[in-house]
Amino acid sequence: MTHLKITAAAAMLACTTLAAQATGISDDKVKIGVLTDMSGQYADSGGKGSVEAAKMAIEDFGGKVQGKPIELVFADHQNKADIGGTKARQWWDAEGVDMIMDLNNSAIAGAVFTLAKERNKVAISTGALSTGLTNEFCAPTTVHYTVDSYSLGKSAVESIMAQGKKDWFILAVDYAYGKVTAATVTDFVKESGGKVLGTVYHPFNASDFSSFMMQAQASKAQVVALANATQDTVNSIKTAREFGMTRNITFVPQLIYINDAHAMGLELGQGLTFATAFYWDRNDESRAWSKKYQARMKKMPSMNQASVYSAVTQYLKAIDAAGTDEGVAVTNQLKKMKINDVFSQNGYVREDGRMVHDMFLAQMKSPKESKGAWDYYKILDTIPGDKAFQPLSKSTCSLVTKK
């Protein structure tokens, strides 16, 4: 009998201790780490702009949460998973970082999500595209915030197919991203009753796209999907325009940031149709915030940078509501919230960590249609988040309860 009383008392003490650990702010401060590409091919859509967006969110929140100061640190992952993983471990194990974000490289995001699960820390990826982050890498403290290859592909393919354009050709970069994206686009085209007439892969940073465009042109496709990114996308479009292909073929890049549109220019990019999660000139709220960002960075924000601002803001709101910065408690609070702000429309975080929100079908304007600098897009359609993102019925995340 005495033994049972002691055991019960010990159990009550353990529960009390756990509850105490899950309340309040650890280390008397909230520390956020932006782990991003500061010097490589994704630096323009993330990098210093992501750091600045995080600073803006902290400033607009008042610099404190639950009466405790908010601190920001940042580092360059150099697009190397070992460097990104080492920095994440250092931040979490030795430097008191509570949340790591941006992670604009899928391999690095996957490594950091794994560490987040082990350490009960929050990781929010705004920059990676792999659907694996809400499938095999999902965890109780991780969130995939902006877009993924599924939402970008599905939103664009279904919208173009609705215009009656059913014959497609795919030009993809020859590494994991290109192959996964090409397979995703193929599935969506076939599911919508269309045909993929051919797929060709090009080397990363290819110097000449002529032979690839000749194959696309010979296929007689109505639509060419570009499963590449950054300079490869720009060079693909340059070659297509030189061949006169853009006059009667719809080109659909699977990933365009406004930074790419700016580098490309409207003369070259006019008519390109693609899915995006954000456009600075979409409404009064997005315009007001983007102009503040532009005043600091001398350019308009990418969808990644706008989502960094949103994610930091919502994370701090979740801490404030939960009364703690403990990982599971904060993430559970995020999953209870509706997210409507400068970035997100009709947003919410699902049980698999996917932040679901409206997507937009955009088209680059002609030079005549543009009213000035950064006036690049026409928004053709809004795709509700529940239709844009992978449904939970297809999820392989261990946190999802199958019905």
Side-chain angles (χ1 to χ4, degrees):
M1 192 67 170
T2 304
H3 173 72
L4 289 175
K5 287 181 179 179
I6 292 172
T7 303
M12 288 182 66
L13 179 61
C15 289
T16 303
T17 301
L18 287 172
Q21 290 175 346
T23 59
I25 305 299
S26 60
D27 304 324
D28 285 326
K29 63 184 174 184
V30 170
K31 196 168 183 179
I32 297 170
V34 177
L35 187 56
T36 186
D37 178 4
M38 298 292 290
S39 55
Q41 61 180 324
Y42 305 123
D44 202 24
S45 59
K48 294 178 181 178
S50 288
V51 175
E52 198 64 34
K55 287 180 182 177
M56 291 173 69
I58 293 168
E59 290 169 10
D60 290 348
F61 203 82
K64 291 184 177 182
V65 58
Q66 288 282 306
K68 305 299 183 181
I70 305 164
E71 184 178 336
L72 182 70
V73 294
F74 60 90
D76 184 357
H77 57 53
Q78 299 178 41
N79 288 302
K80 296 178 180 177
D82 57 340
I83 291 176
T86 297
K87 176 52 69 173
R89 279 190 289 272
Q90 177 185 336
W91 274 351
W92 278 333
D93 295 348
E95 298 184 19
V97 169
D98 297 292
M99 186 268 279
I100 297 176
M101 68 175 318
D102 193 336
L103 306 171
N104 55 345
N105 176 297
S106 290
I108 292 165
V112 174
F113 273 32
T114 300
L115 292 170
K117 183 177 182 178
E118 295 171 357
R119 286 157 172 77
N120 189 37
K121 295 291 188 179
V122 179
I124 302 177
S125 175
T126 58
L129 296 180
S130 173
T131 55
L133 298 180
T134 48
N135 286 291
E136 60 265 31
F137 289 108
C138 78
T141 57
T142 59
V143 177
H144 197 183
Y145 207 85
T146 311
V147 292
D148 52 33
S149 57
Y150 187 101
S151 60
L152 290 169
K154 188 171 192 289
S155 299
V157 169
E158 291 190 350
S159 296
I160 298 298
M161 290 285 286
Q163 299 173 17
K165 298 176 180 179
K166 298 182 179 296
D167 293 337
W168 291 61
F169 187 92
I170 301 172
L171 174 60
V173 63
D174 192 13
Y175 66 87
Y177 162 71
K179 292 177 179 178
V180 170
T181 302
T184 301
V185 170
T186 298
D187 288 344
F188 290 142
V189 170
K190 290 180 178 179
E191 287 172 9
S192 299
K195 297 179 181 178
V196 175
L197 303 180
T199 301
V200 63
Y201 293 93
H202 68 79
F204 177 63
N205 280 338
S207 57
D208 185 359
F209 283 84
S210 299
S211 63
F212 308 118
M213 284 301 163
M214 288 176 67
Q215 291 179 62
Q217 192 171 39
S219 75
K220 306 297 184 184
Q222 298 165 292
V223 185
V224 175
L226 300 176
N228 50 22
T230 59
Q231 194 59 44
D232 282 333
T233 300
V234 174
N235 289 336
S236 299
I237 296 300
K238 283 182 179 179
T239 305
R241 192 164 292 281
E242 289 170 2
F243 278 44
M245 296 170 64
T246 55
R247 288 195 295 269
N248 51 22
I249 298 174
T250 299
F251 280 79
V252 184
Q254 292 302 290
L255 178 62
I256 284 280
Y257 291 109
I258 198 165
N259 320 79
D260 302 321
H262 184 69
M264 194 182 306
L266 294 179
E267 189 63 44
L268 177 63
Q270 59 184 304
L272 287 179
T273 305
F274 50 91
T276 187
F278 176 81
Y279 180 48
W280 73 269
D281 200 21
R282 195 186 64 82
N283 60 24
D284 290 342
E285 190 175 12
S286 63
R287 273 189 292 275
W289 180 79
S290 296
K291 287 178 180 178
K292 290 180 182 177
Y293 176 94
Q294 183 187 30
R296 297 167 76 140
M297 293 299 296
K298 310 307 178 188
K299 62 180 181 179
M300 286 299 177
S302 70
M303 60 179 165
N304 181 23
Q305 291 153 349
S307 70
V308 166
Y309 177 88
S310 173
V312 171
T313 301
Q314 300 302 329
Y315 171 70
L316 294 173
K317 285 182 178 179
I319 290 176
D320 204 31
T324 179
D325 58 2
E326 188 273 331
V328 172
V330 173
T331 311
N332 286 344
Q333 181 61 41
L334 271 172
K335 292 176 180 178
K336 298 175 184 177
M337 295 162 51
K338 299 296 183 184
I339 303 176
N340 291 288
D341 56 22
V342 298
F343 167 75
S344 172
Q345 293 70 230
N346 303 309
Y348 62 94
V349 180
R350 293 190 315 204
E351 57 195 286
D352 62 346
R354 175 69 258 170
M355 205 282 266
V356 175
H357 52 80
D358 291 352
M359 294 284 291
F360 306 99
L361 186 71
Q363 186 177 71
M364 281 186 68
K365 294 181 176 181
S366 69
K368 290 182 180 179
E369 291 174 311
S370 177
K371 296 177 182 178
W374 299 98
D375 181 24
Y376 295 153
Y377 297 175
K378 293 183 286 188
I379 301 300
L380 304 180
D381 194 13
T382 298
I383 303 97
D386 289 342
K387 292 185 178 181
F389 290 92
Q390 176 183 280
L392 285 175
S393 60
K394 293 185 177 181
S395 175
T396 59
C397 173
S398 60
L399 303 175
V400 174
T401 302
K402 297 291 185 178
K403 295 181 180 179

